[in-house]
Amino acid sequence: MPSLAHFITTHILDQPNGCITFADYMEWALYHPVMGYYATRALDMGKKGDFVTASHLSEDFGQLLALQFVQMWNVLGKPQKFTLLEMGAGQGKVAYDILKFLGQHHDDLYSILDYAIIERSAQFVNLQQQVLRDFSVRWCSWDDFPPDSIVGCCFSNELVDAFPVHRLTIQNGELAELYVTVNRDGWSKLDQPHPVPSSLIHQFKDQIGPLSTPELGSYFSFVGINLPSLMYEDGYVTEVNLAALDWLEKIAVRMNYGYLLTIDYGHLSPQYYHPARCQGTLQCYYHHGHHPDPYRWVGQQDITCHVDFTALQRQGERWGLKTQGFTQQALFLMSLGLGDRLVALTTPNGDGNQSDLSDLNMILQRRDALQALINPMGLGNFKVLIQSKGVADDSLTWFSTDPVTPVRG
Ligand SMILES: C[S@@+](CC[C@H](N)C(=O)[O-])C[C@H]1O[C@@H](n2cnc3c(N)ncnc32)[C@H](O)[C@@H]1O
């Protein structure tokens, strides 16, 4: 079978203008059904793979999310059907920890729970079905949810950063798009442009062109950013995630009442599109290292971009979702009791009452994991956005506006 790079090259050469948008390139590199990153290497994510997510560190992450869902269910008046729709469930670890915890500690919610997953990668669906074989879970597509059908909470962790993005630049003071074209520089040495050997590392390069869709032009006024303007220099590079807007619309339309909880790394628009962030936020992950070159190791490395949380909030408002709150993961998890868990680890007669060395090792490992979840230089600086539809009561623990209610952690 030809390599993914060869497949993309052929596709580019078939285009009348000899280039494709970066979003199309990222789409193939990550989601080609056989050779894309999410069909191959991503399956190993975790300590063996290219990156870890919060769920790999400790089951506490899923358990604390479960506590948030219990609270949401209560605020909604304990509806007798409550859907938890997880989007982009990876190896199924978050789902496993949530379901196990609810089964053990919150049987009232567990017994009526409708746990659904929307997962794009067929290989991940297989893995999730093995990991979650002891639980009642259904794998769905968007078509399984008619308009106004969802009562509950739709949620994702590190999903939106994996959507294909458009890359934009400024040229002569005007907004332009960065397309992907084939790098012909190496071809003269090869004597034949076709087929292109997969050994060429930099088989692709950027090419500047006009915007591929007017939505890219209107995006910046939508999020309140004056771009282009004199504050931005020629050569400024950034990204726009139009797929995130489509995704949010899909959810909002299907939600009857309930919540949307999004966890990811990212910023509000003023930070995201700060003139000083002149090379954008695109990062690639390979063997726990990261770099900004999306044309290396095609299909073998993860490609991600930070999330513009202002865009999610504005798009939510456009489709009837109210922002309940926006904060850092560290504060979110602390308010759900992560601090209590840390304290209990070092308290005699708490979980911290170790009897032998192996217990002590486990306690130290768990303490490190809990600290990693709130590390302000790492996962703790991830952002959490909760939006709601048709919910009158704003009283989720972590977003209390009542100054006398302390953060539990
Ligand atoms: C970085 S992983 C995160 C996995 C998991 N949420 C976690 O915390 O470990 C991204 C996941 O989203 C899935 N995915 C990407 N785009 C998707 C889409 N449009 N719809 C559903 N799943 C998607 C990927 O296949 C993968 O399972």
Side-chain angles (χ1 to χ4, degrees), residues 30-31 37-39 42 45 51-56 61 86-94 117-122 124-125 128 142 155-164 243 247 250 302 304:
L30 295 184
Y31 302 112
Y37 181 73
Y38 277 98
M45 103 190 145
F51 60 92
V52 293
T53 66
S55 66
H56 297 105
F61 180 70
E86 181 175 0
M87 298 160 287
Q91 293 163 329
K93 285 184 66 53
V94 184
I117 291 179
I118 291 187
E119 169 56 57
R120 175 162 196 192
S121 148
F124 268 124
V125 168
Q128 291 159 14
W142 289 112
F155 75 100
S156 65
N157 181 48
E158 293 204 44
L159 166 74
V160 185
D161 67 86
F163 288 165
W247 166 79
K250 275 196 189 103
D302 194 16
T304 73

Side-chain angles (χ1 to χ4, degrees), residues 218-240:
S218 53
Y219 181 87
F220 293 102
S221 52
F222 179 59
V223 296
I225 295 293
N226 190 10
L227 195 163
S229 69
L230 289 177
M231 289 190 313
Y232 297 91
E233 295 197 348
D234 268 13
Y236 180 87
V237 172
T238 192
E239 315 87 23
V240 168

Side-chain angles (χ1 to χ4, degrees), residues 139-356:
W139 279 264
C140 303
S141 73
W142 289 112
D143 292 341
D144 295 317
F145 296 98
D148 291 325
S149 63
I150 301 175
V151 173
C153 180
C154 305
F155 75 100
S156 65
N157 181 48
E158 293 204 44
L159 166 74
V160 185
D161 67 86
F163 288 165
V165 295
H166 291 265
R167 291 180 82 207
L168 302 183
T169 189
I170 296 189
Q171 190 184 39
N172 303 326
E174 299 291 329
L175 204 51
E177 184 156 352
L178 285 181
Y179 291 79
V180 182
T181 190
V182 173
N183 185 3
R184 293 163 197 259
D185 299 347
W187 285 11
S188 54
K189 291 186 215 121
L190 300 165
D191 226 2
Q192 46 166 19
H194 219 29
V196 180
S198 57
S199 57
L200 268 187
I201 295 180
H202 280 86
Q203 199 156 321
F204 305 110
K205 64 178 184 180
D206 298 336
Q207 178 176 304
I208 300 181
L211 300 184
S212 57
T213 157
E215 277 180 90
L216 292 169
S218 53
Y219 181 87
F220 293 102
S221 52
F222 179 59
V223 296
I225 295 293
N226 190 10
L227 195 163
S229 69
L230 289 177
M231 289 190 313
Y232 297 91
E233 295 197 348
D234 268 13
Y236 180 87
V237 172
T238 192
E239 315 87 23
V240 168
N241 188 340
L242 294 180
L245 304 184
D246 292 345
W247 166 79
L248 211 137
E249 177 186 333
K250 275 196 189 103
I251 298 164
V253 164
R254 285 161 177 79
M255 199 180 280
N256 185 331
Y257 64 96
Y259 297 96
L260 169 61
L261 185 160
T262 308
I263 306 178
D264 224 312
Y265 43 91
H267 319 275
L268 294 173
S269 292
Q271 290 86 47
Y272 196 117
Y273 297 109
H274 195 284
R277 196 186 294 282
C278 59
Q279 289 306 305
T281 71
L282 189 131
Q283 282 296 316
C284 306
Y285 291 84
Y286 186 69
H287 288 300
H288 287 274
H290 62 99
H291 63 86
D293 183 354
Y295 303 139
R296 277 188 218 167
W297 300 304
V298 184
Q300 297 294 304
Q301 64 173 4
D302 194 16
I303 307 175
T304 73
C305 275
H306 290 202
V307 174
D308 174 5
F309 279 95
T310 302
L312 299 188
Q313 292 183 43
R314 296 261 164 105
Q315 181 73 340
E317 286 152 18
R318 190 187 255 174
W319 290 94
L321 297 189
K322 184 165 118 191
T323 295
Q324 289 263 334
F326 175 64
T327 191
Q328 291 168 313
Q329 173 167 302
L331 297 176
F332 172 71
L333 295 179
M334 289 294 274
S335 74
L336 291 166
L338 187 143
D340 298 344
R341 288 172 180 234
L342 265 175
V343 171
L345 276 179
T346 51
T347 307
N349 302 323
D351 289 342
N353 191 16
Q354 72 277 3
S355 53
D356 63 29

